[in-house]
Amino acid sequence: KLLKDEVFQLAAKNFIDAIYSNPPFTRMENILLHAFPDATVLNLPELKAPKAERIYEFRSYESATEKLFRNKVQMFNEGGEVALFKRLNFNAVFYAEVIAGSSMPNLIYMTSFENMADRDAHWKTFSADPEWKQLSSDPIYQHNVSKADIILMKAASYSDY
């Protein structure tokens, strides 16, 4: 559909027509996700800042084993981590487990912020929150993440959000 959309094609011209010596990406990857029970739909970011200032934070948490992965997913859902993000207004777009893709077992989620200062303030509040301190220190949830990848992104000029 996008290949036939003239408005999209024009807005994405620099991306689409990039030259071989200056590609807009290193590689593409396909990942199939399954939404968390406590976040079953995508949420549109409710951001007011100009598009160029907005920050989208993509996080992938890998686990050493399937059992530890299930434990981290439980921590997000039944343990209350999704609810904590909601309470602290992290403006999450989605939370999901990877069911096909690289780096399995892992989960992925994306939060969004007005700007970098807003992002930093949210994480400072999160790390100091008594509920997070209790949850993260619970012996049942120890060692359930072996690697975390954090990617900060900004909206492209042709992005809707």
Side-chain angles (χ1 to χ4, degrees):
K1 193 173 180 180
L2 288 175
L3 294 175
K4 295 178 182 178
D5 184 325
E6 291 179 24
V7 174
F8 175 83
Q9 291 293 315
L10 183 61
K13 184 169 179 38
N14 289 341
F15 179 87
I16 294 167
D17 294 337
I19 60 174
Y20 78 95
S21 59
N22 189 23
F25 54 83
T26 304
R27 284 287 164 256
M28 290 186 179
E29 178 178 354
N30 290 316
I31 300 172
L32 183 60
L33 304 174
H34 182 261
F36 281 3
D38 287 356
T40 57
V41 297
L42 290 172
N43 296 303
L44 296 178
E46 295 180 18
L47 302 173
K48 310 263 187 285
K51 197 182 299 185
E53 294 178 20
R54 298 174 189 171
I55 299 294
Y56 299 87
E57 185 164 359
F58 179 93
R59 288 182 171 234
S60 172
Y61 293 166
E62 298 175 24
S63 298
T65 68
E66 276 288 324
K67 184 176 180 179
L68 289 168
F69 166 71
R70 291 282 153 226
N71 177 267
K72 183 59 180 173
V73 172
Q74 178 190 18
M75 186 178 180
F76 264 88
N77 291 287
E78 295 86 358
E81 200 166 348
V82 169
L84 177 60
F85 278 112
K86 285 180 185 176
R87 180 172 61 79
L88 297 177
N89 299 314
F90 267 71
N91 206 14
V93 178
F94 70 88
Y95 301 91
E97 63 179 274
V98 175
I99 59 174
S102 65
S103 306
M104 292 178 63
N106 69 316
L107 63 87
I108 295 174
Y109 68 98
M110 183 184 290
T111 52
S112 58
F113 307 95
E114 299 292 344
N115 52 46
M116 191 57 114
D118 183 45
R119 178 232 178 231
D120 293 346
H122 272 82
W123 281 111
K124 184 176 181 181
T125 300
F126 181 89
S127 63
D129 189 271
E131 188 179 340
W132 170 246
K133 287 185 175 193
Q134 181 179 356
L135 183 62
S136 63
S137 65
D138 188 329
I140 197 169
Y141 294 126
Q142 299 307 300
H143 310 292
N144 59 11
V145 173
S146 58
K147 180 182 177 192
D149 286 321
I150 302 169
I151 301 170
L152 300 179
M153 300 176 282
K154 290 193 172 194
S157 60
Y158 52 85
S159 297
D160 292 335
Y161 301 95

